[in-house]
Amino acid sequence: MSGKLNIAIVGGSIGGLFAAVLLSQAGHRVTVQERSERGLAKRGAGLVAQQELFDILRLAGRQDAGGVGVVARERITLDRSGRVVYGDPSPQTQLSWDYIYEAFRGLLPADSYRLSSPVHSVSSADDRATVRFDDGREEGADLVIGADGLNSVAREFVDPGRSENSYAGYVTWRGLIPESSLPAASAETLLDRFAFFNGPEAHMLGYLVPGPKGETAVGERRYNWVWYRALTRAALSALMRDAGRPSSSTSLAPGQLPPLRRDELVSSAIDELPPPFADAVVAEPRPFLQAIYDYVPTRMARGRVMLLGDAAVMVRPHTAMGAAKAAGDAMTIAALLAELDVSDALHRYNAERLAVGRAVSDYGRRLASSLPFAR
């Protein structure tokens, strides 16, 4: 069993918060280093409820947040005309990423979550780890957790020479709109259902999630849509340059898409999607984007540095298991540190969670293999 540790977490998104809360509640001194200036609220959309999410909410003492969800009464598939061609009466619960993020952030002392704190690199020697910041400062820690997502700086130390992501050749466009913004006919088709569309150049889905403050009453919820589209690497780089971002960027946050590019997206939606889904795209003034990548390391821990969540294993969103996998990573390391010293805990963590991550990654690739534009 390890003593009380000084733990630095690089990355303050939902995976970093999961680990921060569990480890802080276990008595460790935890500091989250988050690059963004204002935090990550409103950066996420919907989460399909998985058991790991309910488990970590219970462990953190916020099981009430697991009850703030919206149930889709059935799953449907639309054809190009918007007609329902398949139905499955299997209910499914959707949670709000924003609400879960805020619930966990609220469990941390304010001084434990440092904004505007970009990390340049991490390293480890003997029984200590070091975090180096972009401004040249350094801080030591007993353990560093790299929870800094797709473009993790912690990977290069943990798995040197193998930290690059592999672009899958397509992106996901996303929107999160008030349910009231849908026209009546489209609302009748989409709301209270988990809807899909499969086209020759697109795959789309959508479902309801709670409102921004956890509202679940009819009229106060939000509709979350996800549109997968092929995009070459060159076209992705050009899109990022048009948005004033580095050409190597992998995402656009709400509000970063230039108006002309948004107009192009709307026009494509009208041309390619069933009318109810096209209406959902039209209703979103600030669509956002995430390019799809694969990444599986050869190991998830080295010295006193470990990887968690998307920094550890990047899985395709078709699995709906990204947040659940991060929760599993966080629960595993918290439980292991309660029983073992740091070295043994990290050894066990690597063995257990790398196998899980590989399995989820393989599952995502299999799901994507049915898409005409995926590879």
Side-chain angles (χ1 to χ4, degrees):
M1 175 179 178
S2 64
K4 300 311 177 187
L5 304 172
N6 178 19
I7 300 175
I9 297 180
V10 183
S13 190
I14 200 166
L17 281 174
F18 287 160
V21 167
L22 294 188
L23 293 168
S24 179
Q25 291 180 345
H28 302 292
R29 181 178 180 274
V30 178
T31 304
V32 178
Q33 310 290 353
E34 168 52 40
R35 174 179 293 271
S36 65
E37 296 179 358
R38 298 181 180 86
L40 301 173
K42 314 304 179 189
R43 295 288 186 93
L47 290 175
V48 176
Q50 306 280 0
Q51 186 59 49
E52 290 90 342
L53 291 177
F54 294 117
D55 290 343
I56 201 166
L57 285 166
R58 175 181 52 79
L59 288 173
R62 284 301 311 266
Q63 54 264 53
D64 59 297
V68 181
V70 177
V71 178
R73 56 184 169 83
E74 64 177 333
R75 299 163 70 90
I76 61 169
T77 300
L78 305 179
D79 66 10
R80 176 63 183 79
S81 72
R83 183 171 61 94
V84 178
V85 293
Y86 175 78
D88 175 9
S90 299
Q92 183 166 292
T93 301
Q94 294 81 237
L95 306 177
S96 164
W97 190 99
D98 293 340
Y99 194 77
I100 300 298
Y101 170 88
E102 294 286 10
F104 275 82
R105 176 130 185 224
L107 293 172
L108 282 181
D111 61 355
S112 294
Y113 193 97
R114 299 180 183 173
L115 294 170
S116 301
S117 189
V119 172
H120 177 268
S121 61
V122 303
S123 62
S124 175
D126 300 321
D127 292 335
R128 294 288 290 169
T130 302
V131 177
R132 297 179 180 85
F133 298 90
D134 283 2
D135 62 8
R137 290 181 300 113
E138 294 187 357
E139 291 185 7
D142 299 308
L143 173 65
V144 170
I145 298 177
D148 45 341
L150 177 69
N151 296 310
S152 170
V153 300
R155 286 179 185 170
E156 186 55 38
F157 176 77
V158 173
D159 205 20
R162 296 180 53 88
S163 62
E164 292 298 315
N165 302 288
S166 175
Y167 182 48
Y170 62 106
V171 302
T172 174
W173 290 97
R174 305 194 71 158
L176 191 62
I177 58 176
E179 62 176 308
S180 59
S181 65
L182 284 170
S186 296
E188 183 177 357
T189 298
L190 297 177
L191 300 187
D192 298 309
R193 291 163 147 177
F194 203 114
F196 296 88
F197 169 69
N198 296 299
E201 296 294 335
H203 173 64
M204 189 158 188
L205 58 97
Y207 50 85
L208 282 168
V209 299
K213 296 183 179 179
E215 301 92 340
T216 58
V218 174
E220 299 179 355
R221 304 165 299 182
R222 295 173 295 175
Y223 190 74
N224 175 63
W225 57 262
V226 184
W227 184 12
Y228 296 97
R229 303 188 76 201
L231 197 66
T232 66
R233 187 182 294 276
L236 176 62
S237 296
L239 173 62
M240 293 301 167
R241 288 194 295 270
D242 285 352
R245 304 270 291 158
S247 61
S248 59
S249 297
T250 59
S251 65
L252 293 175
Q256 291 184 331
L257 184 68
L260 287 177
R261 286 287 198 161
R262 189 257 174 183
D263 291 345
E264 292 175 2
L265 190 71
V266 166
S267 178
S268 296
I270 294 170
D271 290 342
E272 300 173 16
L273 297 176
F277 274 145
D279 285 340
V281 176
V282 170
E284 174 55 82
R286 305 199 312 159
F288 47 109
L289 172 146
Q290 180 68 57
I292 307 302
Y293 289 86
D294 296 307
Y295 173 74
V296 180
T298 60
R299 58 185 172 186
M300 288 174 59
R302 177 188 174 201
R304 290 295 185 98
V305 181
M306 55 164 279
L307 303 175
L308 180 148
D310 289 346
V313 179
M314 193 73 207
V315 300
R316 302 200 187 187
H318 316 291
T319 65
M321 294 176 68
K325 181 176 66 66
D329 290 347
M331 289 186 290
T332 298
I333 190 58
L336 289 172
L337 288 174
E339 299 177 3
L340 305 170
D341 64 29
V342 177
S343 296
D344 288 341
L346 292 181
H347 179 76
R348 284 267 302 276
Y349 173 82
N350 180 71
E352 294 179 16
R353 297 309 296 176
L354 183 54
V356 171
R358 283 175 174 160
V360 178
S361 176
D362 290 344
Y363 175 53
R365 290 172 185 259
R366 291 197 301 272
L367 290 176
S369 66
S370 63
L371 302 180
F373 50 79
R375 59 175 174 83

